[in-house]
Amino acid sequence: MSTPIKNRYEFLYLFDCENGNPNGDPDAGNSPRIDPEDMHGLVSDVAIKRRVRNYVQMKHGNGGGYAIFIEHATNLNRPIAAAHEATGGAPAGGGNRSQVGKARDWMCQQFFDVRAFGAVMSTGANAGQVRGPVQVAFSRSIDPIFPMEAAITRMAVAEKVKDAKSVADYVAWEEKQEEDSLRTMGRKSLISYGLYATKGFVSANLAQGTQFTDADLNELWEALANMFDHDRSASKGVMACRDLFVFKHVGTDSDLVQREKQAMLGCAPAHHLLDLGRIIDVPALKGSGKTPRCYADYAVTQHLDRVPKGVELWRWDFSENRLIKA
């Protein structure tokens, strides 16, 4: 098996949404999430990680060490029980610390999202819990957004007909209805446009516990860059990854042992690297009199002279579908 990563990373991920709802809020009628104080849009960390999971699952067929633990419409206790079965334990749970550790290690080997994001695996047969090396904060729009609601017409209804037991019963019911009663109105929440910034973190120290490797890290970058192309729906409008900047800590010491320690611990505070305007500048359009409606309305600038010593800046190259050093 490959060794875990030896470098700390931070990343700044830019994506946008055009004429859609990037992340609905269930507590607000599924309207786009928003900060009520300044009207900037929000996208939850869970929404980003869900799309990463979906991409990895689609690419690898949910197997080969890249299965997904938090899978749609499943019982999490099933794979936990499988972990105990595979390591000689009882699927009903129990066992000593050694058995729990074996089950936890098996889960890390089989499931990409456990290695990356961590998981609580003590909901049934106890397989412990792990903290994942990859963490993502809430995404925030560069400029304020304005949520809208558009009325739509559905040219059919989905009514449960009392005592209908066959197709003929439904046909007979339809024949008795007024035509206008067989269509209904609805509403769709959306924003015209929003460019969002996500701040993410990859801990080399936590990666040692889950065995998160460089191959896993490349899967993460690829998923972030391409996942929206496989997550289309009418409600989401047009969403796309626009830029991915990665800060890799490599160290500065001439002694290789010390440099490896520096690379794992980091050579600069995360906020110094990720705060917009310091190294990556995405200026808002204040004072321009123009409301942003596309990515071309922004000028994303990287200031390589501001990158601290011991840190490398990498950027996703869409033509080659990989990271390249800036």
Side-chain angles (χ1 to χ4, degrees), residues 313-325:
L313 175 59
W314 294 66
R315 189 175 188 176
W316 188 263
D317 188 312
F318 287 94
S319 63
E320 297 189 19
N321 203 37
R322 66 182 181 91
L323 284 176
I324 60 172
K325 192 174 179 180

Side-chain angles (χ1 to χ4, degrees), residues 289-301:
K290 182 179 180 181
T291 301
R293 282 294 181 267
C294 66
Y295 188 61
D297 290 335
Y298 293 89
V300 180
T301 306

Side-chain angles (χ1 to χ4, degrees), residues 200-268:
F201 315 87
V202 185
S203 167
N205 291 286
L206 291 177
Q208 310 309 303
T210 67
Q211 297 297 298
F212 185 80
T213 67
D214 284 312
D216 294 326
L217 188 64
N218 290 333
E219 292 290 337
L220 173 68
W221 305 142
E222 181 182 329
L224 289 170
N226 298 288
M227 62 190 188
F228 288 118
D229 285 331
H230 304 277
D231 189 56
R232 303 296 185 193
S233 72
S235 64
K236 292 185 177 71
V238 181
M239 296 184 68
C241 166
R242 292 298 188 169
D243 243 318
L244 172 60
F245 296 95
V246 176
F247 296 94
K248 179 180 181 180
H249 297 257
V250 296
T252 59
D253 203 291
S254 58
D255 182 85
L256 295 181
V257 175
Q258 290 300 318
R259 185 182 299 180
E260 182 174 311
K261 291 181 179 179
Q262 288 179 332
M264 292 187 68
L265 292 174
C267 300

